[in-house]
Amino acid sequence: MVALVASFAAVGSTIPLFNIYRAEDGFTNADISITVVAYSVATLSTLLVVGRVSNHLGRRPTSVASLGLLLLGCVLLLNVHHVGILIAGRLLMGFGAGVASSSLTSYIVDAAPARPSWLASVASSQTVMLGLAVGAIGSGALVQFGPWPRDLVYLVVIGLLLVSAALIIVSPETVTPTPGAWRSLRPRVRVPARVRHLLPVAAAVLLATWATGAFFQAFVPALVEDQLHSQSPLILGLVFAAYMGPSVLGAPLGGRFTPAVAQRVGMIGFLVGMIGIITAIAAGALVLFFAATIVAGASQGIAISSATRGLLEGSDVADRAPIFTVVYILSYCGATIPALIAGRLSASLSLPQIALGYGGLALIATVFTVLAARNPHAGTTGALPAR
């Protein structure tokens, strides 16, 4: 779990630097949006190709490879003065995050105890959010108060990645290597038939919540400075963490309910939070923005972990990597497609108008979830009702 936190801390560490790149290197909101898209596309394509390879090569070697790619991305970002370098560094991070999303999350589920039953899905789905929050806060503090504001955070993250790789190397393998690694590179998207009926609502949850996460990466740096009147990198890191961090706290709450009920509750809370975020942007109210962001973040934790828990019901070791591949494909599609559209529109629409569009997506996903959420079939758990 330490390695997964470190992996996504590396991803989150770039966020507080976006306004520095805008001010010192002339990057535009569209440029920043493209870097978010590049990261998401790299992650998505990697998941499609290598999402199942850890079933054949083992969790340890694929996990170490993911950390190596993230480390290379950090090395490249030590010298950002052109948007092409930023895009290339984020691409490398995307490749590393794609491998980590499948191999490290499956590693966590393999090693997790059987009780409580929600622990594996919460640890696997919310550790990513925790890592992003830690990376953003740590980066914001180092950028604002430390020396070498453009470099120090990447040096720290490189150290964390090296420590994480060492920890994985000395950890036990949970999968017996088997032939078929080359065949596993053929893209194949599937979930077990027993939970396939859960996929439409899981897709709505993941698309809406991860789209908002990409919005916080691509547009909130400019919003914080232009609409909320703060130029502090630490405040920017805290704002991003306010969306990602509470997701970890909200996730265990979902374990108290069936997956369907928890997804409904989570998405309703998420919509309330998004309404508050849009209101805060219109009013220029930073405190309200923080509060609404925390509500949205905690609520997305309930919804995402419950959707993941439903898909993992009755899974075995061979199922987990393909299931997580599907989960993250849906997630990064949510991050990529709206960000690409919003980036194209950013020259003609204001940032508050773009935020309103993301709010509309949250509304559609919430209505669909409330109407269509289902539980795993009773045969997979022995206890859950039909809906």
Side-chain angles (χ1 to χ4, degrees):
M1 197 162 85
V2 171
L4 193 59
V5 170
S7 297
F8 284 90
V11 175
S13 67
T14 313
I15 310 303
L17 286 160
F18 282 160
N19 280 341
I20 291 180
Y21 298 149
R22 287 201 313 149
E24 297 182 3
D25 300 305
F27 295 178
T28 66
N29 291 333
D31 291 333
I32 300 299
S33 178
I34 288 297
T35 68
V36 174
V37 170
Y39 164 79
S40 299
V41 168
T43 307
L44 180 58
S45 59
T46 305
L47 282 166
L48 281 169
V49 176
V50 302
R52 295 176 291 125
V53 76
S54 69
N55 285 348
H56 301 277
L57 298 182
R59 307 295 194 217
R60 284 197 304 176
T62 49
S63 297
V64 171
S66 73
L67 297 175
L69 288 166
L70 287 159
L71 189 150
L72 289 175
C74 289
V75 170
L76 194 58
L77 292 176
L78 286 169
N79 187 32
V80 174
H81 292 288
H82 187 275
V83 69
I85 299 297
L86 182 58
I87 290 172
R90 295 292 285 180
L91 278 170
L92 281 171
M93 285 188 165
F95 294 139
V99 180
S101 295
S102 177
S103 60
L104 282 171
T105 49
S106 296
Y107 207 166
I108 289 171
V109 174
D110 294 346
R115 293 288 182 272
S117 61
W118 50 262
L119 179 62
S121 63
V122 169
S124 56
S125 64
Q126 299 308 314
T127 301
V128 171
M129 304 298 184
L130 177 61
L132 289 168
V134 168
I137 294 174
S139 175
L142 290 173
V143 170
Q144 184 161 339
F145 301 114
W148 322 312
R150 297 173 67 113
D151 302 322
L152 180 59
V153 61
Y154 297 125
L155 296 174
V156 171
V157 169
I158 287 169
L160 290 174
L161 293 172
L162 290 173
V163 170
S164 298
L167 291 173
I168 289 174
I169 289 169
V170 300
S171 297
E173 178 61 77
T174 59
V175 170
T176 302
T178 58
W182 284 109
R183 289 194 301 274
S184 75
L185 299 180
R186 183 184 306 161
R188 187 176 66 180
V189 178
R190 69 171 181 87
V191 293
R194 65 182 179 275
V195 294
R196 206 165 289 161
H197 67 291
L198 305 178
L199 206 52
V201 170
V205 168
L206 295 167
L207 289 170
T209 55
W210 279 67
T212 303
F215 166 74
F216 269 76
Q217 293 183 56
F219 299 107
V220 165
L223 275 167
V224 167
E225 185 169 307
D226 299 340
Q227 263 70 44
L228 302 177
H229 315 297
S230 174
Q231 296 182 338
S232 166
L234 179 57
I235 290 295
L236 177 54
L238 288 169
V239 165
F240 183 72
Y243 181 68
M244 298 299 175
S247 181
V248 181
L249 301 177
L253 297 176
R256 300 173 179 270
F257 308 100
T258 64
V261 170
Q263 286 174 88
R264 291 184 181 113
V265 170
M267 288 305 292
I268 290 171
F270 176 71
L271 179 60
V272 170
M274 286 299 295
I275 292 170
I277 286 169
I278 293 167
T279 302
I281 292 170
L286 182 60
V287 173
L288 176 58
F289 189 89
F290 263 116
T293 298
I294 290 169
V295 171
S299 299
Q300 75 152 358
I302 296 173
I304 292 173
S305 63
S306 300
T308 305
R309 175 161 58 104
L311 293 174
L312 285 172
E313 287 287 352
S315 67
D316 55 26
V317 170
D319 286 335
R320 288 166 191 160
I323 288 172
F324 277 116
T325 298
V326 172
V327 166
Y328 282 110
I329 285 172
L330 291 170
S331 301
Y332 283 105
C333 280
T336 302
I337 297 170
L340 184 60
I341 295 170
R344 293 280 185 176
L345 295 174
S346 63
S348 56
L349 295 179
S350 68
L351 292 176
Q353 288 173 325
I354 289 173
L356 194 60
Y358 280 91
L361 178 60
L363 174 61
I364 294 169
T366 300
V367 171
F368 180 72
T369 300
V370 169
L371 295 176
R374 297 291 185 274
N375 283 313
H377 291 310
T380 66
T381 65
L384 293 174
R387 63 178 291 164

